[in-house]
């Protein structure tokens, strides 16, 4: 009969040879992937920088995960026929990417300090204290990366209110020699609430 120590040692060695479970080696289905699109961060940084340049001080709050397709489906349907032809390829790419949630990384290049926010529970903001919270989608591009579409939500929870206000806007941008510029000749699409 073998000693209990030898049996225990044999079991430990066998366990080390077993493959790791799928839970440890594969991301979960609903787990967001890291967002790593350099051009996407340039577009997002351009929009957030323009929106926050008038703020005197303070940091910018950005939701850590990209906005989900379900959250903007209604606005997307309302705007679907309004996007110009030159942006259709970028819109198709946007729709493909929007099916998946991504986790934003610290790759924004904005003038203000920024922080990621995980949830809105307990967040109170007003125009006198903190600005609102930005929630952004991934960026859709055409094949040549000369046109871009992104959805940006700006949420404000005024002190004393039980509801959020803000806006949800689709931004259309063109790449120029000086970087990404909003297509100012095209009306913005979205809603204010």
């Amino acid at each position: 009969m073998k000693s209990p120590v030898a049996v225990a040692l044999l079991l430990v060695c066998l366990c080390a040879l077993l493959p790791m479970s799928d839970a440890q080696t594969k991301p979960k289905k609903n787990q967001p992937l890291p967002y790593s699109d350099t051009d996407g961060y340039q577009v997002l940084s351009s929009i957030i920088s323009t929106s926050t340049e008038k703020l005197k001080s303070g940091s910018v709050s950005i939701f850590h995960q990209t906005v989900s397709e379900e959250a903007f489906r209604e606005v997307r349907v309302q705007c679907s026929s309004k996007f110009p032809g030159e942006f259709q390829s970028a819109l198709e790419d946007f729709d493909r990417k929007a099916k998946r949630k991504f986790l934003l990384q610290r790759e924004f290049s904005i003038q203000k300090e920024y922080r990621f926010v995980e949830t809105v529970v307990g967040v109170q903001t007003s125009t006198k204290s903190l600005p609102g919270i930005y929630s952004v989608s991934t960026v859709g591009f055409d094949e040549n990366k000369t046109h871009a579409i992104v959805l940006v939500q700006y949420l404000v929870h005024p002190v004393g209110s039980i509801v959020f206000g803000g806006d949800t806007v689709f931004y259309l941008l063109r790449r120029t020699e000086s970087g990404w510029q909003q297509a100012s000749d095209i009306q913005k699409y979205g809603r204010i609430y």
Side-chain angles (χ1 to χ4, degrees), residues 48-97:
I48 293 174
S49 288
T50 300
S51 299
T52 61
E53 69 186 357
K54 294 178 184 172
L55 296 176
K56 303 275 189 271
S57 63
S59 66
V60 176
S61 297
I62 304 169
F63 274 112
H64 204 180
Q65 288 188 24
T66 57
V67 65
S68 68
E69 180 182 33
E70 297 83 34
F72 63 81
R73 183 176 291 131
E74 183 181 324
V75 175
R76 171 68 179 89
V77 169
Q78 291 172 355
C79 300
S80 63
S81 63
K82 299 178 182 178
F83 293 108
E86 70 178 293
F87 286 92
Q88 289 304 309
S89 178
L91 184 60
E92 290 169 10
D93 185 49
F94 173 87
D95 288 338
R96 270 191 305 277
K97 291 176 179 175

Side-chain angles (χ1 to χ4, degrees), residues 123-124 156-165:
V123 173
Q124 293 285 316
V156 181
H157 190 200
V159 175
S161 176
I162 60 171
V163 296
F164 277 91

